[in-house]
Amino acid sequence: MPGPVSRRYEKLADEMDQAIGEGLLRPGERLPSVRVTCQHHGISPSTVFQAYGLLEARGLIEARPRSGYYVLARKKPARALPLQAPIRAEATEVAVSALAFDLLESTRDAAVVPLGSAFPAPHLFPFEALARSGARAMRRLKPAQITGALTVGDAGLRQTLRKRYALQGVPLAEDELVITNGAMEALNLCLQAVTQPGDVVVVESPTFYAALQALERLKLKAVEVPTDPQHGVDLDALGELLGRQRVAACWFMPTLQNPLGALMPRARKQALVELLARHGVPLIEDDVYGELYVDVRRPPSAKAFDQAGGVLHCSSFSKCLAPGYRVGWAAAGRFSPAVRRLKMMSSLATALPPQLAIADYLGQGGYERHLRQLRTALAAEQQRARRLIERHFPAGTRVTRPAGGYFVWLELPAGVEALALHHQAMSLGISTAPGVLFSADRRFVHHMRLNLGHPGDARIDDALRRLGGLASELASAAA
Amino acid sequence: MPGPVSRRYEKLADEMDQAIGEGLLRPGERLPSVRVTCQHHGISPSTVFQAYGLLEARGLIEARPRSGYYVLARKKPARALPLQAPIRAEATEVAVSALAFDLLESTRDAAVVPLGSAFPAPHLFPFEALARSGARAMRRLKPAQITGALTVGDAGLRQTLRKRYALQGVPLAEDELVITNGAMEALNLCLQAVTQPGDVVVVESPTFYAALQALERLKLKAVEVPTDPQHGVDLDALGELLGRQRVAACWFMPTLQNPLGALMPRARKQALVELLARHGVPLIEDDVYGELYVDVRRPPSAKAFDQAGGVLHCSSFSKCLAPGYRVGWAAAGRFSPAVRRLKMMSSLATALPPQLAIADYLGQGGYERHLRQLRTALAAEQQRARRLIERHFPAGTRVTRPAGGYFVWLELPAGVEALALHHQAMSLGISTAPGVLFSADRRFVHHMRLNLGHPGDARIDDALRRLGGLASELASAAA
C-alpha cells in the first residue's frame, strides 16, 4: 500500500497535474525540459522522468520522439471512448461459446502473439525472489501447518493480508478471509453462496467472460447493465433494474474493469454499495486489478464502504505478483461462513507451498517496490502501444484510455466484425479477444479487447501493425 | 508401481502365506523364531521382520508380546466385521450437517488427538525432499510454463502420471488427464460433468461424507447401496437398482473404501464397470487410497477395465506423498472435454509450484521406496492400534480389518450412540468420526471411523484406552 507520505516524483507530478488543470500549462504546450526541471526543483533526472511518466500514464501529457513532452487536452483522449452499451430489459440464459476456451488454448501456445490473452508477460514478476521465498518457507515447514491451513488457508498469510487491508482502511473480521485457488475460485464460491440455480445476476456490459462462464456453470441468468468506460456501472440504470425485478447478486469489477478499464470514482463506489444494501442485494466484487492503478494512491475497493457485510470481495496475487501460484482470497462479509463451507465441500483447501512462498516474500519487504515497477512498466507500455494502435488502425476506431491495468477496449468502424478479424489474425499467429466474448448475447460485434501487458515482446509492434492493416482492409471492403 | 521382481521379504511372506493356506502352518501355531528363519533361509533379521510384518498386515499372523508370531484363523478376524447395511429403496435429498465441518475444524487444532481426522500424520511424508525438489524446479521455471500449464496442468507432470498408469496397465488418452486442486476438486468437476441438479447419484453405504457434501452442493439426490466391508459394493443390489430407476452416476471408491477399507476384488471391479457400461451410467472412481495397499502388488483400479470411456477416475498425491500440496487429477474418459471446460470455468488452473515440486520429486526416483515405507508403517500401526481397540472397547464391538489405508470402522454395541461418544471424547480433546457422517439419512448411529494413521503419536494409546473406557461406560449404562 502507498505510504502516508508521497514520494518526490509523485509530488512533482501532482504539482504539474494541478498546473495543467488550472490552465497554467495548456494543451499543446511543451513541458520544461528534464534538464531545466532538474535545476529548477533541485532533483535528479530520474525523478523527473518518473514524474513525467506518471503524467503520461494519467493521460495528461505525451512524449514526442526527439522533441519532448507536450500537454494533452485534459480528459479528451486522441480518439473518443467507445459508446456506452444500451440497457437491456430482460435476463438471458448464459451460454458463452467454446470461443473463450479456444482463446485460453491459444494463450497456452507460446508461438501465438498474446494480444488476446488475459495475462500479462511473466517476466514482469519476481519469480526468482518467490522461488527463494518458497524454498525458505518449505524448509521451515512445520507439520501442523498442513492441517492448520485446511479450508481457510495459512494463518500467517491471512494475517498479512488482513493487516494490508486494515492499512488501506478496510477492516476485515477475524475469520472473514478464505484463501482460494486464485480469484476465480473465490468468485465462484461467492457466487454459489448467494444464488440458487435459475436466479438472476447483474453483470457489467461488457463483462469479463469468466463471469459469464461462472453463471453458465451454476445455471444462473445474466442481466447486463450499461457500463461507462471511465466511470463504470450506470447507477441510475442499476437502480431502475433493482426496482423492477428480483436480483440475487451483482458481480462487478469496480476498479479497472475487464475489459473496459473503467475505474469507478470513490463516491460512485460508495453510492453503489449503499444502493445494493438498500435492496439487500449482495455485491461480488472482483478486485484482481486493484493494485495495477496508475495514480499515486490505491483506489478504494467497494469493500471499503461496506457497512452491512453485503460485499463479497475477491482478489488474488495472480495479476500483481505471482501468476501461476493460484493464490487468491475471498473476504465475503456476512456470507463468510457459507463460503468457508463451500470451499470445504468443493476443493477442501488451497495448496500450501504457494501460500507460504508468498507469505515469506511479503515479509521480505520488496513487494511495494515490485508493484511500483510493475505499474510503471504497464503504464508506459500502454502509452507506447496505444500510439501504435492510433497509427495503424482505420479511421473511426475508438480506444479506451484506462487508468491502469493492461487492457484496452477497441470499437472498430461499423463495417468491421471483430470475430472475422480475430480469425484472420489467428491465421497469422496473433490472438485477439473479440467483443462477442464479453456479453451473454453476443453484443459488441465491432469491439475487441487487446492485452498491452507484454512490454519488451518484440513481436507486439508488428502484430499491432498487421492487426491494424487487417482491420483497415475489412473497413475498406465494407465501405 | 511394484517392479516386475518380488523383493526377498515378499517372496518369504508369499511362501509362508501359501503354507498357511495349505494348512502346513495351522491356526494357533507359533511361527519359527526370527533367528531360526534367518539361518534357514540365509537372510537377514530385518528381511524376516518385514516378511512377518507383511503377513501380520494381511491378517494371517499376529505378534504376541515376548512370545513370538502365531498363525491366526484365516480370514476370520478376532472380532467379526460390521454387518452390511440394508438396501435403501428411495433417493434422499442430501444435507450433511455442520458436523463434518466441525470435525474438520477439530482436525486443524493440533491439541486434539486426531482419531477423527481424515489425514495421516504429516511426519510420514518426505517434505524435506519435496522442498528440495520444489526449490530446484522453481529455480528452473521458464515463463512459458506458466501459461502452458493453464487449465490442464503441467505437461511434465501429466506425462509422468500417464507413464505410471500405462505401466499399471491403464492406458490413458493423450489429453485425458487434468491436474486439479486435490482429488476433491477432481471429483467435484467429474460429478458436475455428468449430472444436472435433481439427478440421482448412487453412493456406497457407508460413504465418505465429502461425497455427500459434493452432492449437497450440486443439489443432487443420493441413493445408498449396501457395501460389504471386505468386497465393496453389492453388485446384485446395484443391478436391481439400475433396472428400477434412472441414475445419473455412481460415485464409488473401489479400492480401500473410506470408511470401510473395503477392497473390491479384481473380478468384481470388472463386473462393476461392465454392469454400469450396460446401463450407460458413468462411474466416478475415487482412488485416493489406491497406493496404500498392504499386499505386494497394487490392486487394479476400476479404470483398468474401462472399455467405453465411462469411468471418471480421480486421485491425488495428498494421501500417499504430499499432503497440503493439493495436487490431484482426473482421467475422465469420454467426459474429459467437459471436465476441462468446467475446470477452466471454476478455478482456471492448478497452482504450478506444487506440481513442479512433485514432478521433480518423481523424477528423482525415491517414490517407490517412500511408498513401501509408508505402507509398512501404516500396516504396522493398524495392527498395533487394533490390538488396543480389542483390549479396551466393550464386548460386542466389531472392527474392520482393512487391507490397507489407515482407517478402521467400528460397530459399537447396540446401546452405544457414537455421536454421544464423540461429544464426550471431544470434551477430553479426542476426536472421532461418528457414523452418522457417513450416510445421507444419519444411519450408522452405533458406528464410528477411527484414523490409525498416526504412528509414533504418543497420545494415541491413551486416547484409545479412554475412548474404549467411555464406550464401555455407555454400554454398561445401556445394559
Side-chain angles (χ1 to χ4, degrees), chain A residues 104 108 127 138 146-148 151 181 188 192 196 213 217 219 324-326 344-347 349 351-352, chain B residues 104 108 127 138 146-148 151 181 188 192 196 213 217 219 324-326 344-347 349 351-352:
Chain A
L104 193 76
R108 295 180 54 214
F127 285 112
M138 293 311 285
I146 296 163
T147 39
T151 302
N181 193 39
N188 273 275
Q192 188 166 15
Q196 296 292 327
Q213 291 176 322
R217 196 177 66 90
K219 299 175 187 18
Y325 276 54
R326 309 302 300 140
M344 179 185 72
M345 288 182 180
S346 59
S347 76
L352 197 54
Chain B
L104 192 76
R108 295 180 54 215
F127 285 112
M138 293 312 285
I146 296 163
T147 40
T151 303
N181 193 39
N188 273 276
Q192 188 167 15
Q196 297 290 328
Q213 291 175 323
R217 195 177 67 88
K219 300 176 186 14
Y325 276 54
R326 308 302 300 139
M344 180 186 72
M345 289 182 179
S346 59
S347 76
L352 196 54

Side-chain angles (χ1 to χ4, degrees), chain A residues 79-419:
Chain A
R79 305 218 183 181
L81 299 169
L83 296 175
Q84 190 168 298
I87 188 165
R88 278 190 55 75
E90 319 143 61
T92 43
E93 299 261 351
V94 176
V96 174
S97 72
L99 193 56
F101 196 71
D102 292 347
L103 191 64
L104 193 76
E105 286 296 299
S106 78
T107 297
R108 295 180 54 214
D109 183 348
V112 173
V113 185
L115 291 171
S117 160
F119 309 97
H123 71 75
L124 296 168
F125 301 95
F127 285 112
E128 287 178 24
L130 285 164
R132 285 193 298 275
S133 280
R136 188 159 44 224
M138 293 311 285
R139 274 199 308 272
R140 283 194 313 245
L141 179 76
K142 291 188 196 74
Q145 284 176 274
I146 296 163
T147 39
L150 279 167
T151 302
V152 291
D154 177 62
L157 179 62
R158 283 184 296 129
Q159 184 62 13
T160 301
L161 279 171
R162 200 165 158 239
K163 251 191 227 163
R164 214 175 147 72
Y165 275 95
L167 287 169
Q168 288 164 6
V170 185
L172 300 181
E174 171 99 41
D175 282 339
E176 197 172 348
L177 275 171
V178 178
I179 306 293
T180 56
N181 193 39
M184 189 59 69
E185 190 191 34
L187 290 160
N188 273 275
L189 295 175
C190 288
L191 187 63
Q192 188 166 15
V194 297
T195 59
Q196 296 292 327
D199 277 354
V200 167
V201 174
V202 183
V203 298
E204 292 140 333
S205 181
T207 193
F208 179 33
Y209 48 80
L212 298 173
Q213 291 176 322
L215 266 59
E216 180 184 339
R217 196 177 66 90
L218 295 174
K219 299 175 187 18
L220 301 166
K221 289 174 187 159
V223 175
E224 306 182 14
V225 292
T227 303
D228 178 88
Q230 277 193 294
H231 303 303
V233 166
D234 180 332
L235 294 181
D236 292 338
L238 178 62
E240 196 202 303
L241 179 71
L242 295 175
R244 206 173 57 223
Q245 74 171 109
R246 209 189 78 78
V247 161
C250 294
W251 171 327
F252 294 155
M253 206 181 279
T255 303
L256 300 171
Q257 197 257 4
N258 176 3
L260 291 174
L263 174 56
M264 284 188 103
R266 163 182 276 271
R268 282 171 71 97
K269 279 179 179 148
Q270 183 162 8
L272 168 67
V273 172
E274 288 169 2
L275 172 67
L276 294 179
R278 277 198 302 280
H279 286 86
V281 173
L283 171 62
I284 299 169
E285 178 182 32
D286 180 350
D287 195 50
V288 294
Y289 301 102
E291 296 285 2
L292 302 186
Y293 53 90
V294 164
D295 220 325
V296 177
R297 272 174 239 311
R298 193 193 199 292
S301 58
K303 183 76 179 170
F305 306 104
D306 185 24
Q307 302 292 321
V311 178
L312 301 95
H313 173 91
C314 301
S315 192
S316 85
F317 288 111
S318 299
K319 303 292 194 282
C320 55
L321 177 64
Y325 276 54
R326 309 302 300 140
V327 176
W329 58 89
R334 64 177 192 266
F335 303 100
S336 292
V339 168
R340 270 202 303 277
R341 284 197 59 187
L342 286 170
K343 170 70 181 172
M344 179 185 72
M345 288 182 180
S346 59
S347 76
L348 188 62
T350 302
L352 197 54
Q355 293 184 63
L356 297 181
I358 288 175
D360 182 279
Y361 175 87
L362 296 178
Q364 302 294 319
Y367 187 36
E368 296 310 323
R369 195 178 59 237
H370 155 71
L371 284 176
R372 281 197 299 274
Q373 288 168 349
L374 176 63
R375 288 173 196 133
T376 304
L378 290 177
E381 177 68 3
Q382 194 203 106
Q383 294 299 318
R384 202 188 68 79
R386 200 197 295 99
R387 279 197 288 274
L388 288 168
I389 292 169
E390 290 174 2
R391 186 175 312 148
H392 295 299
F393 275 68
T397 302
R398 295 154 177 240
V399 56
T400 53
R401 187 186 284 277
Y406 49 89
F407 295 127
V408 286
W409 178 247
L410 271 67
E411 184 180 339
L412 300 163
V416 185
E417 290 229 353
L419 194 56

